[in-house]
Amino acid sequence: MSLVNSIAGKLISKTPTLANIEIGGFVFNVKISLASFEKLPKINENITLLTHLHVKEDILELYGFVYETERSLFLNLNKINGIGPRSAMNILSGTSPAEFKQKIIDGDVKSLTSIPGIGAKTAKRIIIELKEVFSHDLDASEEIGFDDKKETSFARDATSALKSLGYKENQISKAISELQRRSGIPDKLEDVIREILKELN
């Protein structure tokens, strides 16, 4: 677990690789992927990002993520020898977590090498080290059944609320997928949670 689990404040400026967030008079430089950049709000609006604080010798860098799936993949990639946080962010900018995960499970070296920053040797190393990890998680839905417009608020909030009640993430994912298949996702968070609970019980 990172020392700084998340950061919330006002978005001062943004580029495809960096978000500057003001909190109590301090401005934090948060490194982001292209995928997270595309989900950021407008300048001067409030924002919350999941984070990972990277500390190494004289390096102190804060990395930010819109979704937990992106942070989880980032952390898994960082465990692999030869792939540091910067390379991991480059990988996240070149593919979605769901697409990357499937490429690993399929052992698709050719597709992996099409992602900037990944050569054949690195692709094989990633597959060897992460295939088993991802294969165990096949039953969990990467996007947990939400479209992009609803995912940011509903997915995070509903999953967090239900996990606090003792439900596991894969249980929640299956319930949400079934709810979407059967009747679709309600427009209010409380209704989403209520309907998911019906699926879980």
Side-chain angles (χ1 to χ4, degrees), residues 27 37 42 75-76 118 147 178:
V27 177
F37 169 75
K42 296 179 180 178
L75 294 175
N76 276 311
I118 299 183
D147 60 37
E178 177 60 24

Side-chain angles (χ1 to χ4, degrees), residues 177-193:
S177 296
E178 177 60 24
L179 174 62
Q180 187 178 48
R181 184 193 67 77
R182 183 170 51 81
S183 59
I185 302 300
D187 293 325
K188 295 182 179 180
L189 178 60
E190 57 267 31
D191 292 335
V192 174
I193 295 174

Side-chain angles (χ1 to χ4, degrees), residues 94-130:
T95 184
S96 71
E99 291 173 345
F100 188 83
K101 183 175 179 179
Q102 193 58 54
K103 289 173 182 176
I104 297 299
I105 294 170
D106 293 342
D108 193 344
V109 174
K110 184 176 181 180
S111 291
L112 287 173
T113 56
S114 68
I115 300 172
I118 299 183
K121 290 183 178 179
T122 301
K124 292 176 182 178
R125 188 185 309 129
I126 293 172
I127 290 171
I128 291 171
E129 297 197 30
L130 293 184

Side-chain angles (χ1 to χ4, degrees), residues 133-151:
V133 174
F134 290 161
S135 294
H136 285 313
D137 196 35
L138 273 175
D139 290 336
S141 168
E142 199 68 44
E143 301 299 338
I144 61 174
F146 287 90
D147 60 37
D148 287 343
K149 292 181 180 179
K150 292 179 180 176
E151 185 176 10

